[in-house]
């Protein structure tokens, strides 16, 4: 089953959180952010710093506290504890002033029906009392590649087009920071990739982007830095590369073989292997090796199989990714956590709680 | 000012493009006017109910004979002039012919009292009765026939019906329209999104209410226009008083709609609650018929329904030319309903449909 949480890995990850890739000044600083609903801590003592000009991803399974955190930073929810400063504005004390300085996209459904793309943009320009000339509207449509949908009504747009419209509506007041709440949820892969391009375009214009997502891949590809959330806590925050470097591995090797033909101890002894599991699936065993060098471990594994005349099936190696980081920090696999019906066993939750308290 | 105006314009566009809203606000009440107007609107001219009173004479007997024999007449002869005049005012009679004493063997003078409220019908009644009077006299001598209009309480069906239907359509657009719109916006996160703009909630609500008031006046004009075109409805009354009444009715129902949207979790439940309140009111508030015919025990109850106040506030000025003073009670009641509903809505308002 899953690896047991490794306190060493956790410490390593935290050591590198101070490193940063972008040279901008801090634009969001949250300290000790806490939100409680009755007994439950939705967000539990989170510290976050976002720098100007970066795409900052808040990543975590459903219910991890991503949206609640975002809403507190946007001034929509009052935190039960902690301080937030966005673009020099004390959010807790002055949420109204913040609204002029930020832009936000919520779900794609948060658009008025019966209005065209251009009419919606014109309306938002009026709400922020900024230029709404046809040239400006065309520019805003162009930013999200909706120039041809100028006169299309909202209900005639596809999911991806609606999201792009929602993003450009968040940009009408030329905000310093724009918040995107799960911008690609529910989109097909092509629409998702096209939206990544839009988000990068927004950042390239100098706007800081903070987005939430539960797609690991999206955080890896799109975000300059990633804050990994789990059950109301920030468990890691850095560039994807630095988070993976902090792991005791660089790749995972997987294969299947006849049950009982290879055992865990001899696999763990292979070169560069840092962890090995063998799980039985019917008459087959599934091997999973974590390694600091995929090449060395792969050679070792192939030689071992050749010596024993074991046939390896479905042999593959994958680069370490954020899923491995999540697994190593929480002891749970990310995929199983993001399935809505799946809940982690109570025992693992209790174990984790104790670990946190220590 | 610019954000508010832009939001009002956007709201008007959305309403115009929303086929469901157009149906409930305009088509539905228009269908009522057409159907009920056709069934009940043109039944007055089949027979002429005529009362005869005054001094007896050979001439009077001859005229009475014509009224008795003619199929188109329904004769009510009586010495009680006051009773006949009361029936005329109530609309039971179409005209009352009153004969005077004859002098020098000439034809006695006759006065024809008719009901002004009958409009075009009254003209037909007059000309028919005059023909009878002249015909019997063979117009030998200058017959003195005087026409006496009577101001009465009786109104034609269409006059009675149009203000009721206007009240109904203002109720539908206010309660069902506003409550479902706001819950939809909340469910879809539009209210949350608005909260992230510098545009404040009171302005957002005001924009919606003002746009619905504009729609309310358009609805009223279209319904009155339709009744005028199809059923010879003649709008009467003071424009200023009627405007105030429409405004009061519209605002009261919009506030109720807003209150419903604050407690309803979903659009479906908002529509359900609205309909639950709307339908009993439709039949108990005198839109289609006077509530005098309703059971005794339910009568005091019907007088407290918002639609009842709406109907009273609109019908009196629109049929009898009542002034503001005459309708102060329903206006005050609508004001109280507006204030209570708004306070209730503000107390329970939620930006967000998500739990917690």
């Amino acid at each position: 089953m899953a690896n047991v949480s490794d306190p060493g890995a956790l410490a390593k990850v935290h050591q590198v959180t101070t490193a940063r890739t972008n040279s901008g000044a801090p634009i969001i600083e949250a300290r000790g952010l806490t939100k409680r609903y009755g007994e439950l801590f939705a967000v539990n003592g989170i510290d976050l710093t976002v720098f100007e000009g970066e795409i900052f991803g808040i990543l975590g399974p459903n219910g991890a506290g991503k949206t609640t955190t975002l809403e507190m930073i946007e001034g929509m929810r009052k935190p039960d504890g902690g301080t937030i400063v966005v673009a020099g504005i004390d959010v807790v004390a002055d949420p109204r002033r913040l609204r002029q300085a930020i832009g936000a996209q919520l779900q794609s459904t948060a658009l008025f029906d019966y209005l065209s793309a251009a009419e919606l943009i014109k309306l938002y320009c009026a709400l922020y009392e900024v230029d709404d000339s046809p040239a400006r509207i065309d520019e805003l449509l162009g930013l999200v590649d909706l120039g041809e949908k100028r006169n299309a009504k909202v209900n005639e747009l596809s999911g991806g087009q609606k999201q792009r419209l929602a993003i450009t509506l968040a940009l009408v007041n030329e905000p310093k920071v724009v918040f995107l709440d799960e911008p690609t949820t529910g989109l097909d892969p092509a629409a998702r990739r096209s939206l990544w391009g839009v988000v990068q375009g927004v950042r390239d214009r100098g706007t800081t982007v903070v987005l939430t997502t539960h797609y690991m891949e999206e955080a890896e590809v799109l975000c300059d830095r990633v804050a990994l959330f789990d059950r109301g806590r920030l468990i890691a925050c850095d560039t994807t590369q630095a988070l993976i470097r902090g792991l005791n591995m660089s790749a995972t090797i997987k294969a299947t073989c006849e049950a009982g033909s290879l055992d865990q101890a001899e696999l763990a002894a292979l070169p560069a292997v840092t962890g090995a599991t063998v799980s039985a699936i019917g008459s087959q065993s599934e091997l999973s090796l974590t390694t600091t060098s995929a090449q060395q471990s792969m050679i070792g594994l192939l030689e071992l199989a050749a010596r024993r005349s074991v046939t390896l099936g479905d042999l593959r190696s994958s680069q370490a990714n954020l899923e491995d980081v999540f697994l190593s920090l929480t002891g749970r696999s990310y995929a199983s956590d993001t399935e809505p019906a799946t809940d982690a066993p109570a025992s693992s939750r209790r174990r984790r709680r104790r670990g946190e308290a220590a | 000012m610019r954000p508010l105006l832009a939001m009002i314009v956007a709201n008007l566009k959305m309403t115009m493009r929303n086929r469901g809203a157009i149906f409930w606000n305009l088509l539905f009440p228009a269908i009522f006017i057409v159907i009920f107007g056709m069934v009940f609107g043109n039944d007055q001219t089949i027979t002429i109910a005529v009362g005869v009173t005054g001094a007896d004479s050979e001439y009077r007997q001859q005229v009475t004979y014509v009224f008795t024999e003619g199929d188109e007449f329904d004769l009510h002869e009586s010495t009680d002039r006051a009773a006949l005049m009361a029936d005329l005012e109530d609309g039971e009679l179409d005209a009352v012919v009153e004969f005077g004493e004859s002098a020098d063997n000439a034809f006695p003078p006759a006065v024809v009292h008719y009901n002004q409220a009958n409009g075009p019908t009254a003209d037909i009644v007059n000309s028919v009765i005059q023909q009878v009077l002249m015909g019997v006299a063979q117009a030998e001598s200058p017959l003195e026939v005087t026409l006496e209009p009577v101001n009465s309480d009786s109104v034609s069906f269409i006059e009675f019906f149009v203000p009721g239907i206007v009240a109904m359509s203002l109720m539908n657009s206010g309660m069902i329209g506003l409550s479902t719109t706001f819950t939809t916006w909340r469910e879809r996160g539009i209210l949350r999104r608005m909260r992230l703009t510098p545009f404040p909630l009171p302005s957002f609500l005001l924009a919606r209410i003002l746009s619905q008031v504009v729609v309310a006046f358009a609805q009223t004009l279209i319904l009155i226009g339709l009744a005028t075109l199809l059923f010879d409805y003649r709008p009467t009354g003071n424009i200023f008083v009627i405007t105030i009444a429409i405004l009061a009715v519209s605002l009261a129902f919009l506030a109720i709609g807003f209150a419903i949207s604050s407690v309803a979790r979903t659009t479906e439940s908002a529509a359900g609650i609205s309909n639950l309140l709307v339908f009993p009111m439709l039949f108990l508030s005198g839109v289609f018929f006077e509530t005098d015919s309703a059971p005794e025990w339910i009568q005091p109850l019907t007088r407290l329904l918002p639609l009842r106040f709406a109907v009273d506030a609109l019908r009196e000025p629109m049929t009898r030319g009542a002034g503001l003073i005459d309708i102060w009670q329903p206006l005050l009641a609508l004001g109280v309903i507006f204030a209570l509903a708004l306070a209730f809505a503000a107390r329970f308002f939620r930006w967000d449909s998500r739990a917690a």
Side-chain angles (χ1 to χ4, degrees):
Chain A
M1 253 284 296
N3 293 350
V4 176
S5 157
D6 175 4
L10 192 72
K12 247 182 217 165
V13 169
H14 278 296
Q15 270 169 17
V16 290
T17 48
T18 46
R20 55 182 229 236
T21 51
N22 293 65
S23 52
I27 193 162
I28 297 175
E29 287 187 289
R31 295 289 168 264
L33 220 48
T34 299
K35 183 76 191 177
R36 226 176 32 196
Y37 298 114
E39 291 285 286
L40 181 83
F41 279 89
V43 172
N44 194 351
I46 279 175
D47 295 337
L48 273 183
T49 305
V50 177
F51 299 101
E52 247 172 52
E54 68 179 344
I55 299 177
F56 186 85
I58 297 178
L59 172 72
N62 293 327
K66 304 186 297 286
T67 298
T68 306
T69 301
L70 199 67
E71 285 177 349
M72 287 193 286
I73 297 175
E74 290 167 336
M76 294 229 291
R77 263 173 219 269
K78 234 184 165 55
D80 293 321
T83 60
I84 316 157
V85 178
V86 176
I89 299 164
D90 181 341
V91 175
V92 182
D94 203 357
R96 297 198 137 265
R97 222 182 106 213
L98 181 72
R99 288 173 206 172
Q100 288 285 1
I102 64 165
Q105 164 268 332
L106 305 173
Q107 313 95 306
S108 64
T109 54
L111 300 168
F112 289 112
D113 269 331
Y114 307 113
L115 294 184
S116 72
E119 283 169 337
L120 257 177
I121 294 175
K122 205 171 157 65
L123 172 65
Y124 273 69
C125 287
L127 295 184
Y128 284 96
E129 305 194 59
V130 298
D131 177 22
D132 66 348
S133 62
R136 170 73 175 142
I137 291 172
D138 283 337
E139 184 200 339
L140 283 160
L141 284 166
L143 275 181
V144 291
D145 206 14
L146 281 178
E148 285 174 13
K149 294 289 172 185
R150 198 174 204 289
N151 297 316
K153 304 282 186 301
V154 166
N155 47 319
E156 295 160 8
L157 299 178
S158 71
Q161 288 166 340
K162 280 183 194 169
Q163 284 293 27
R164 287 179 352 224
L165 181 57
I167 289 175
T168 204
L169 290 175
L171 298 174
V172 294
N173 58 327
E174 293 290 340
K176 294 194 180 110
V177 195
V178 64
F179 296 92
L180 311 178
D181 194 3
E182 309 223 339
T184 62
T185 296
L187 298 188
D188 61 63
R192 181 171 302 156
R193 262 186 287 282
S194 121
L195 202 95
W196 291 348
V198 166
V199 172
Q200 277 157 346
V202 169
R203 190 267 315 272
D204 293 345
R205 293 171 76 242
T207 310
T208 308
V209 179
V210 177
L211 61 87
T212 62
T213 180
H214 62 257
Y215 298 116
M216 287 278 182
E217 185 203 1
E218 179 164 293
E220 284 169 19
V221 174
L222 186 57
C223 299
D224 298 316
R225 286 195 309 138
V226 177
L228 199 52
F229 274 51
D230 185 46
R231 293 179 177 156
R233 286 188 174 270
L234 177 68
I235 56 173
C237 179
D238 210 322
T239 63
T240 300
Q241 294 83 344
L243 290 175
I244 292 166
R245 263 203 312 276
L247 291 172
N248 194 16
M249 61 178 277
S250 67
T252 304
I253 296 169
K254 291 193 169 178
T256 56
C257 63
E258 200 182 317
S261 56
L262 294 171
D263 69 37
Q264 199 264 343
E266 58 189 341
L267 289 169
L270 289 172
V273 166
T274 55
T277 57
V278 178
S279 37
I281 297 171
S283 62
Q284 296 270 296
S285 279
E286 193 175 84
L287 317 176
S288 177
L289 310 177
T290 56
T291 167
T292 53
S293 164
Q295 186 186 13
Q296 289 175 30
S297 303
M298 189 72 90
I299 292 169
L301 177 64
L302 292 174
E303 282 173 357
L304 178 68
R307 267 203 312 277
R308 298 282 198 74
S309 304
V310 171
T311 309
L312 294 175
D314 203 10
L315 178 63
R316 64 204 185 275
S317 160
S318 57
Q319 281 302 123
N321 57 22
L322 287 175
E323 294 193 31
D324 299 305
V325 175
F326 187 85
L327 180 71
S328 122
L329 292 176
T330 66
R332 302 190 319 275
S333 104
Y334 188 80
S336 71
D337 246 45
T338 48
E339 280 161 26
T342 314
D343 204 351
S347 61
S348 103
R349 195 177 304 156
R350 236 176 283 130
R351 188 174 62 230
R352 252 181 39 74
R353 286 264 163 81
R354 267 204 308 278
E356 281 168 2
Chain B
M1 208 53 194
R2 183 181 157 209
L4 186 67
L5 282 178
M7 191 54 93
I8 293 172
V9 170
N11 268 298
L12 285 173
K13 278 184 189 163
M14 287 187 266
T15 308
M16 291 305 164
R17 292 171 190 175
N18 180 344
R19 289 206 194 115
I22 295 287
F23 176 81
W24 286 106
N25 295 347
L26 276 179
L27 229 53
F28 184 66
I31 289 170
F32 268 94
I33 289 206
V34 172
I35 292 178
F36 278 76
M38 279 182 348
V39 174
F40 299 109
N42 296 324
D43 61 352
Q44 299 123 318
T45 52
I46 298 166
T47 57
I48 297 168
V50 57
V52 172
T53 188
D56 196 15
S57 63
E58 196 183 335
Y59 177 57
R60 175 181 156 170
Q61 284 166 15
Q62 285 172 353
V63 171
T64 310
Y65 178 76
V66 174
F67 286 151
T68 322
E69 292 300 300
D71 283 342
E72 62 272 41
F73 296 105
D74 178 14
L75 178 67
H76 298 260
E77 221 176 347
S78 173
T79 51
D80 188 351
R81 179 184 180 277
L84 288 179
M85 293 305 284
D87 283 348
L88 179 61
E89 284 177 27
D90 289 347
E92 303 274 317
L93 294 179
D94 296 307
V96 171
V97 183
E98 183 180 9
F99 292 92
E101 296 287 345
S102 65
D104 304 332
N105 233 6
F107 286 105
V111 182
V112 179
H113 303 276
Y114 67 97
N115 194 334
Q116 215 173 13
N118 282 353
T121 317
D123 297 335
I124 298 166
V125 169
N126 285 338
S127 71
V128 169
I129 290 178
Q130 277 183 63
Q131 273 177 29
V132 172
L133 291 174
M134 303 292 249
V136 169
Q138 292 169 336
E140 276 179 17
S141 62
L143 178 70
E144 191 188 340
V145 177
T146 320
L147 297 174
E148 268 302 316
V150 165
N151 282 318
S152 88
D153 276 353
S154 92
V155 292
S156 72
F157 176 79
I158 201 77
E159 281 176 308
F160 169 84
F161 194 55
V162 167
I165 288 297
V166 169
M168 179 191 86
S169 80
L170 297 184
M171 170 177 73
N172 283 347
S173 65
M175 284 176 65
I176 305 178
L178 189 80
S179 69
T180 53
T181 304
F182 258 73
T183 38
T184 305
W185 286 353
R186 184 171 52 226
E187 277 187 297
R188 295 179 47 183
I190 289 174
L191 293 186
R192 267 193 336 131
R193 181 64 187 88
M194 280 296 126
R195 202 180 164 200
L196 277 166
T197 70
F199 195 58
L201 172 72
S203 305
F204 185 67
L205 183 61
L206 184 67
R208 182 68 198 182
I209 285 181
L210 289 180
S211 81
Q212 291 224 206
V213 166
V214 171
V215 172
F217 280 103
Q219 273 169 262
T220 309
L221 283 178
I222 291 174
L223 292 176
I224 287 177
L226 190 72
T228 307
L229 218 66
L230 294 181
F231 303 108
D232 287 331
Y233 173 73
R234 291 170 311 155
T236 52
N238 182 323
I239 282 280
F240 171 74
V241 177
I242 294 173
T243 304
I244 296 284
I246 290 170
L247 205 60
V249 169
S250 186
L251 287 177
F253 284 124
L254 286 167
I256 296 176
F258 188 43
I260 294 170
S261 79
S262 288
V263 289
R265 289 210 168 266
T266 63
T267 306
E268 287 72 27
S269 72
I273 295 172
S274 302
N275 280 309
L276 210 66
L277 298 174
V278 158
F279 273 95
M281 281 206 278
L282 263 186
F283 296 104
L284 292 175
S285 300
V287 171
F288 301 110
F289 42 78
E290 295 280 15
T291 43
D292 302 348
S293 49
E296 286 281 328
W297 60 271
I298 216 167
Q299 298 242 6
L301 231 73
T302 66
R303 285 184 227 298
L304 291 173
L305 296 173
L307 185 58
R308 178 58 185 247
F309 295 123
V311 169
D312 287 349
L314 287 170
R315 191 170 281 158
E316 295 296 321
M318 284 173 75
T319 55
R320 285 154 200 161
L324 279 184
I325 309 273
D326 304 310
I327 54 167
W328 72 271
Q329 282 173 315
L331 284 185
L332 178 70
L334 290 168
V336 170
I337 290 169
F338 173 75
L340 287 180
L342 208 59
F344 180 89
R347 166 70 184 78
F348 292 102
F349 181 79
R350 283 166 299 132
W351 289 98
D352 211 323
S353 62
R354 298 170 307 169

